[in-house]
Amino acid sequence: MANVVLIVLIIINLKILYFLFIAMPNWINIIISTVFTIFGWILCVISSLLKKLRHKRTPEEVIRYRLSVAKNYEEWTQLAKELDVLLGNDEWKSNSISPYYDYNLIQYKLDHFRQVRENNDFLSMIYMLRSGLLRNLGGLNDPRLFSQSYLGTKKLIEDYTKEVITQLEYIGEQDFSEIPKLSKMEFFNDTRQSFGSTALVLYGGTSFGLYHLGVVKALNENGLLPRIISGTAIGALIAALVCIRTDEELPRIFEPGGINLGAFGKVGSKGNIRRKISRFLKHGYLMDIKVLEECVLSNVGDLTFEEAYAKTKRILNITVSPTRKFEIPQLLNYLTAPNVLISSAACASVAIMGLYDSYDLMAKDKTGRIVPWAPSEIKWKKWTDAVPTESESPLTRITELFNVNHFIVSQANAAVVPFLSREQTTRASILVKCGHFISTEYRHRIAQLEQMRLLPRMFRGMVDEKVSGNVTIVLSISFADFKTLFSNPTHSSLDYWVLKGEQSTWPLLALIRNRCLIELALDRIYLKLKSSPPAERSYALYPTTKEKNNGRKRTKSVH
């Protein structure tokens, strides 16, 4: 019944939109159709709730619910296995045929790889890996291939990925008289550069942004945390916490007391709302930047971007938005702003939200003294200002600097999350398709209002085209969560949001793993070869850059 209601709703909505486009002026039909779109989204939610209330839960629905409230990944994995068995997903995985990828190409590549390995023809291995290694070869990493089964995907795809990694490890570990070590390093470096890198992007979130910690925890525990991490607003604080810590130190921040919240404890909760309202009316912002600064300094210290990179080899990127376009870089990292203090960059990134007052960027001079980075005061854009164009986007700059072609986006923006599709983690049922249709319609109408300058300034922060990535981890929130939107963090709320982040990430781990396993293997093998004792001069496995460019120096990866 609920599905019938949803289909009728879509038809009515389309007819209304058609009538409005013909009979009404443009600005009126945009406003009215936006209202109908939001109304339709609300009806979808209500119909879904009614369906749950009227029908007794099936075994599948019971396990799905238990999945949504699992407390750890081991429990979630066990339930996912039970659900796959119940739904017969193992049979689907063993059948390689699917319209979403070129299974004939993948089978051919796999057979060829296996034949070369059986013949121990390592030169052919190197040739094949160097010339045809793509992250999404034949569409094998299409998200739809990972929405059927809760654990993994087609067996053919998993076998292909394992075979590639096996051959990469074989080449890296074996000593070949025909292939000196430097030639192997050159092969892995070039292949790594060609394959591309992954970046984790943590978007905004006010108090919801604490959920990014759960995303980082889930990825790190499964060996899938990228070295390149970017953060905006609250996401910048979380990225800073992560990137100043080594692999051995990182798990400690998830332990009780691992993050120092003493600065917020000093303020107290008594009169909290009254203080915020008074501060907003007097100064135009809700939160006290001094409290945030104390918290950030107690957890991050006075490390610069360059010092953090030298310590951890993680590449931290923090987005800031000055009003003058070419005053300072919009993306701060160890290349663009090596001497800037990470703590000041994180506070400056949060200041653009309108929750905190503006904050000056600080840096270390050549003697180690902390001084203002810019000669004059930097004015930051307000959160209501228009978002940057695609050419100005921080993600574009990350791509240019660090050879990134794959983004994992953790989205916690309260204005965006309710309208993002979860098709990557859910079967494409009529309800999912309906939700996706309405959410994209809503975002399109909001963008149109902004282009016509009819959108009020207070809603301009909702216009952000770069809200998703190749893999998008979307926070699952309830109406009760909005009560804590502007509250100060506590250790109990921290634990709550970390678990929320983990629960949002677990369903996507299979997709992320398959997209990143080859990249991680290339990184691991290359860094291992690089850290071993120096070797003799290399002999070319294939035409070298020097031969191609008549003696010009080859371009090296900066990371």
Side-chain angles (χ1 to χ4, degrees):
M1 181 64 185
N3 288 343
V4 174
V5 172
L6 294 177
I7 294 171
V8 173
L9 174 63
I10 292 174
I11 295 172
I12 293 173
N13 201 7
L14 287 172
K15 286 186 175 181
I16 291 172
L17 291 175
Y18 176 76
F19 170 76
L20 289 172
F21 271 113
I22 294 178
M24 295 283 188
N26 193 41
W27 67 273
I28 294 178
N29 81 52
I30 290 174
I31 294 174
I32 295 178
S33 60
T34 299
V35 172
F36 272 101
T37 301
I38 296 173
F39 179 69
W41 180 75
I42 293 172
L43 284 182
C44 277
V45 175
I46 293 173
S47 65
S48 177
L49 291 174
L50 288 175
K51 182 179 178 181
K52 292 179 180 179
L53 290 173
R54 290 177 181 176
H55 299 281
K56 186 178 179 181
R57 284 182 175 177
T58 63
E60 177 184 345
E61 290 173 333
V62 170
I63 300 178
R64 283 181 190 274
Y65 171 75
R66 291 172 63 193
L67 268 177
S68 67
V69 297
K71 300 299 182 184
N72 54 65
Y73 186 56
E74 290 72 23
E75 179 186 352
W76 188 93
T77 302
Q78 185 58 42
L79 290 168
K81 288 179 180 177
E82 294 179 17
L83 194 53
D84 272 349
V85 171
L86 181 66
L87 298 175
N89 286 335
D90 289 341
E91 182 179 348
W92 174 86
K93 291 166 72 174
S94 61
N95 181 6
S96 61
I97 298 175
S98 171
Y100 301 132
Y101 78 117
D102 190 342
Y103 50 89
N104 289 321
L105 173 63
I106 302 303
Q107 185 67 63
Y108 169 78
K109 287 278 190 179
L110 177 60
D111 292 341
H112 199 176
F113 272 127
R114 285 174 171 170
Q115 182 181 356
V116 167
R117 180 165 55 87
E118 289 172 2
N119 295 336
N120 199 27
D121 187 355
F122 55 86
L123 289 177
S124 294
M125 281 186 201
I126 290 172
Y127 176 81
M128 292 173 60
L129 291 168
R130 181 66 187 90
S131 59
L133 205 56
L134 300 173
R135 193 185 299 270
N136 196 29
L137 178 69
L140 59 82
N141 280 316
D142 190 308
R144 291 171 293 186
L145 292 166
F146 294 82
S147 61
Q148 178 76 21
S149 171
Y150 287 83
L151 289 173
T153 182
K154 297 286 188 181
K155 188 174 184 300
L156 173 61
I157 295 174
E158 293 176 346
D159 289 345
Y160 170 81
T161 304
K162 289 177 183 176
E163 182 64 31
V164 170
I165 294 172
T166 298
Q167 296 201 11
L168 288 172
E169 290 175 342
Y170 176 77
I171 295 169
E173 292 172 1
Q174 295 297 318
D175 293 325
F176 305 105
S177 58
E178 299 92 335
I179 310 176
K181 179 187 169 184
L182 286 178
S183 292
K184 284 205 291 186
M185 288 180 61
E186 182 179 317
F187 160 74
F188 280 105
N189 185 56
D190 290 350
T191 307
R192 179 170 166 257
Q193 188 79 0
S194 172
F195 193 79
S197 302
T198 297
L200 173 64
V201 182
L202 310 178
Y203 264 121
T206 58
S207 66
F208 293 176
L210 297 175
Y211 119 103
H212 294 311
L213 279 170
V215 174
V216 170
K217 182 181 179 183
L219 292 176
N220 186 58
E221 289 181 347
N222 287 273
L224 297 172
L225 182 65
R227 290 191 308 114
I228 305 170
I229 303 178
S230 177
T232 302
I234 302 300
L237 302 178
I238 306 303
L241 281 173
V242 173
C243 289
I244 65 167
R245 288 170 169 81
T246 62
D247 291 341
E248 294 73 26
E249 296 170 341
L250 185 57
R252 296 174 196 164
I253 68 173
F254 306 113
E255 298 173 356
I259 297 177
N260 186 353
L261 299 177
F264 295 103
K266 294 176 183 177
V267 178
S269 58
K270 189 175 181 180
N272 188 31
I273 296 177
R274 187 174 66 252
R275 283 197 306 272
K276 287 182 171 62
I277 295 174
S278 175
R279 190 181 296 118
F280 182 77
L281 293 175
K282 287 182 179 179
H283 306 290
Y285 52 89
L286 288 171
M287 317 289 275
D288 188 353
I289 192 69
K290 292 181 180 179
V291 176
L292 178 69
E293 178 187 16
E294 183 180 346
C295 178
V296 175
L297 284 173
S298 65
N299 288 283
V300 177
D302 61 356
L303 283 175
T304 66
F305 283 95
E306 189 172 45
E307 290 169 344
Y309 175 72
K311 175 187 175 185
T312 68
K313 298 305 178 186
R314 302 188 198 277
I315 300 174
L316 171 64
N317 299 271
I318 292 180
T319 303
V320 294
S321 298
T323 53
R324 286 177 287 187
K325 187 174 179 181
F326 300 108
E327 184 175 20
I328 63 170
Q330 288 186 309
L331 186 73
L332 306 179
N333 52 51
Y334 83 97
L335 292 178
T336 62
N339 300 318
V340 170
L341 297 187
I342 292 173
S343 57
S344 70
C347 290
S349 184
V350 174
I352 68 172
M353 296 179 61
L355 298 180
Y356 292 93
D357 193 10
S358 60
Y359 193 85
D360 292 330
L361 289 175
M362 308 300 289
K364 287 183 181 178
D365 64 13
K366 60 183 180 181
T367 64
R369 290 187 306 114
I370 296 176
V371 296
W373 188 46
S376 60
E377 183 182 0
I378 303 170
K379 296 185 181 298
W380 306 108
K381 284 183 181 178
K382 295 182 179 179
W383 72 291
T384 53
D385 291 339
V387 297
T389 62
E390 185 168 346
S391 62
E392 299 170 336
S393 168
L395 300 192
T396 302
R397 188 66 174 136
I398 290 175
T399 298
E400 294 170 349
L401 288 172
F402 304 114
N403 191 42
V404 173
N405 61 1
H406 184 240
F407 289 97
I408 301 172
V409 171
S410 175
Q411 180 58 260
N413 188 330
V416 172
V417 164
F419 301 98
L420 283 179
S421 170
R422 290 177 173 80
E423 286 184 295
Q424 289 180 335
T425 58
T426 318
R427 291 186 180 187
S429 63
I430 185 65
L431 183 60
V432 173
K433 291 178 179 178
C434 175
H436 182 60
F437 167 78
I438 293 175
S439 67
T440 52
E441 179 71 16
Y442 162 79
R443 282 182 286 168
H444 174 63
R445 296 303 174 192
I446 289 291
Q448 280 190 318
L449 288 172
E450 166 59 17
Q451 289 175 355
M452 298 175 65
R453 299 293 185 266
L454 295 175
L455 189 68
R457 288 181 62 85
M458 66 180 296
F459 296 114
R460 287 185 185 174
M462 298 169 67
V463 184
D464 188 355
E465 295 299 325
K466 294 294 182 181
V467 295
S468 59
N470 302 98
V471 179
T472 305
I473 303 171
V474 183
L475 170 63
S476 178
I477 54 177
S478 63
F479 288 109
D481 291 329
F482 282 92
K483 294 188 297 184
T484 65
L485 191 60
F486 301 115
S487 61
N488 290 331
T490 63
H491 287 294
S492 59
S493 68
L494 194 63
D495 293 340
Y496 172 80
W497 287 113
V498 167
L499 181 58
K500 276 270 191 181
E502 290 182 275
Q503 291 170 341
S504 299
T505 308
W506 292 333
L508 285 164
L509 285 179
L511 174 59
I512 295 171
R513 184 178 290 110
N514 209 69
R515 281 178 167 268
C516 296
L517 273 178
I518 294 175
E519 175 191 340
L520 294 172
L522 286 167
D523 275 350
R524 183 176 62 253
I525 297 167
Y526 175 73
L527 292 175
K528 183 179 179 181
L529 289 170
K530 190 176 179 181
S531 62
S532 59
E536 67 277 16
R537 185 180 180 275
S538 67
Y539 298 90
L541 299 173
Y542 39 85
T544 64
T545 307
K546 184 175 180 180
E547 292 169 351
K548 291 177 182 177
N549 298 325
N550 297 322
R552 287 177 293 176
K553 291 184 178 179
R554 62 184 289 115
T555 301
K556 294 184 178 179
S557 170
V558 296
H559 62 283

